[in-house]
Amino acid sequence: MPAKTLMVQGTTSDAGKTTLVAALCRIYARQGLHVAPFKPQNMALNSAVTQDGGEIGRAQAVQAHAANVPLSVDFNPILLKPQSDKNAQVIIHGQVFESMNADQYHDYKKIAFNAVMDSHTRLEKNYTRIVVEGAGSPAEINLREGDIANMGFAEAADCPVILIADIDKGGVFAHLVGTLALLSESEQQRVIGFVINRFRGDLSLLEPGLQWLENYTNKPVLGVLPYIHGLHIAAEDAVDNVQNIANTQLKVIVPVTPRMSNHNDFDALRVHPEIDLTFVYASEVVNSPLPAADLIILAGSKNTREDLAFIKAQGWDQQINTHLRYGGKVFGICGGFQMLGQHINDPLGLEGKAGISEGLGLLPITTILQPRKTLANRQAILHLAGLNKTIKGYEIHLGETTYLADLPPLMTIEGNAQGIISDDQQIAGGYLHGIWDSKNAIEQLASWCQVTISAATSLEDIQEHAIERLADTCEQYLALDKIENALTHWRQHHE
């Protein structure tokens, strides 16, 4: 039997690790293998909820979709969610452990590594192939000691590694050769070959470089993947503002805050050809105007009170009020929903310094942060625009919100009201993430904003199409036989 575990590491962040792992998961699933994605340690503010109420990185949820397997906390045993430049919430096996700074977590890594290996052991027992995604680059010298995300894991699990680099950014040969040179001898031997990602142009012009690379390193190039235009795969953390708008009917802006989380909430809106959604970044000039829009959406946050203070410091709170006076709509998701209220109280300092912050005062709610995090997949009835359509989503939040007035609920979940809509129908908010992934919800949102758009496509269908397209491309351009032979050879020499 070939080796169960294959790891993909990158020369840089955003080299293509996530998408290559997703492609391999789908390819192996097509071959009839029971395949699991795995990322030992992930630092990201985009996450998903497993069926058993745990939390993992959004990228591993996409990879599980590609593998046609249900989500498991073992796919991402350690998730780090930054709360500030120095602190992060540490999530182990899907549940919040505690917040730590870099020094504290470095000391804790040995214990965290046990959680990583426990998960990998369980996956080995239950799956026939495990495809592992590294984090960042394995050649970060300052992070080598106690590494559990890249070669530290590969050495402990004794698995082979594919190294991927992005040629679109330039310097691909330097990235590959330099990364390899900074690895130890045993780690270098673990690399079974290279993949070059996002190539544009005539491959024959690249051939001399490929031959040199193979001769210089004595390792094969396992594939050169072309640049795939219009590929809609949920991003691990990067915010992408590129859109292809055919005919704008609905203009949406999302103010970007330092700890904005789950920005993948907006993916389904961004791919609709008639919805122009723009992420708006802070200007160097305070009170510089937000662009004109039909709708402002306040996103979730990993540090709600700090992000609320950021919004006020930019003068965005005043501009939101102006937007409302001119008839615009405002919607809040999770932390953004909490910001719309009267107060946010964090008595235990769960997201930073303990204290109370005055909200934007736009909804009659008040929120207190509690240690127990709500993690659940939900089916709901959405009541926007007087319609009652079934949608799906998920909750990830610490806050417990009290409603100070009897206003219409945004949605009903298992017979219970959640969220709120203002009397004047201009402001709404609730805790459900992924709300726009359902095409029903997008159509209701457009009706609420008093515009008409063409029928939406569900994000799940869009993502499935992207995964199939990605897997087809990799089947064509990857030397899958060489990878399989390398795995078989690895198993024979490491038993």
Side-chain angles (χ1 to χ4, degrees), residues 3-241:
K4 274 193 169 185
T5 301
L6 171 66
M7 190 170 194
V8 176
Q9 297 183 15
T11 57
T12 61
S13 294
D14 198 32
K17 298 184 293 292
T18 299
T19 51
L20 180 55
V21 169
L24 289 171
C25 283
R26 177 54 58 91
I27 289 168
Y28 292 141
R30 288 174 175 177
Q31 294 174 359
L33 295 178
H34 190 38
V35 57
F38 185 65
K39 184 156 186 171
Q41 175 183 285
N42 194 352
M43 178 175 282
L45 287 174
N46 287 343
S47 56
V49 178
T50 64
Q51 281 80 345
D52 57 354
E55 188 176 1
I56 63 174
R58 170 60 49 179
Q60 282 61 66
V62 173
Q63 292 159 355
H65 177 175
N68 296 322
V69 294
L71 303 190
S72 167
V73 295
D74 284 329
F75 295 163
N76 177 206
I78 306 294
L79 176 61
L80 307 177
K81 302 186 80 171
Q83 295 174 305
S84 69
D85 290 342
K86 295 182 179 180
N87 283 70
Q89 185 181 74
V90 179
I91 296 167
I92 300 177
H93 289 148
Q95 302 299 321
V96 175
F97 179 67
E98 64 178 79
S99 293
M100 297 184 183
N101 61 35
D103 289 339
Q104 289 170 325
Y105 182 66
H106 181 76
D107 293 338
Y108 183 75
K109 270 187 178 180
K110 290 181 180 178
I111 300 174
F113 193 51
N114 292 334
V116 167
M117 298 311 296
D118 286 346
S119 286
H120 182 253
T121 298
R122 283 192 289 270
L123 295 179
E124 279 191 311
K125 292 177 180 177
N126 294 310
Y127 292 86
T128 54
R129 178 65 54 84
I130 304 167
V131 188
V132 186
E133 179 185 346
S137 162
E140 304 291 355
I141 301 303
N142 56 309
L143 300 177
R144 294 292 301 277
E145 184 181 354
D147 168 56
I148 66 176
N150 288 300
M151 282 298 179
F153 168 79
E155 296 265 81
D158 193 18
C159 68
V161 172
I162 292 173
L163 194 60
I164 185 170
D166 179 6
I167 195 171
D168 195 51
K169 293 184 175 66
V172 69
F173 298 111
H175 283 167
L176 289 167
V177 173
T179 298
L180 196 66
L182 290 174
L183 302 178
S184 70
E185 184 176 347
S186 65
E187 292 168 349
Q188 290 175 0
Q189 293 172 358
R190 207 163 284 285
V191 177
I192 60 172
F194 308 120
V195 171
I196 293 176
N197 193 28
R198 301 189 182 109
F199 176 72
R200 310 176 195 235
D202 185 349
L203 186 59
S204 65
L205 299 177
L206 188 63
E207 286 291 347
L210 301 181
Q211 293 173 9
W212 175 89
L213 180 64
E214 292 188 335
N215 292 335
Y216 187 84
T217 63
N218 198 31
K219 294 184 183 295
V221 174
L222 299 171
V224 177
L225 303 178
Y227 193 105
I228 306 176
H229 294 274
L231 187 69
H232 298 296
I233 296 283
E236 184 170 64
D237 226 19
V239 177
D240 185 1
N241 243 345

Side-chain angles (χ1 to χ4, degrees), residues 271-311:
V271 298
H272 193 288
E274 295 173 356
I275 298 177
D276 180 1
L277 187 145
T278 303
F279 291 104
V280 179
Y281 291 84
S283 168
E284 293 181 1
V285 180
V286 176
N287 288 320
S288 59
L290 292 172
D294 303 299
L295 171 66
I296 296 174
I297 303 180
L298 299 183
S301 170
K302 198 66 202 72
N303 194 324
T304 309
R305 291 174 59 231
E306 279 196 13
D307 277 353
L308 175 60
F310 181 85
I311 285 173

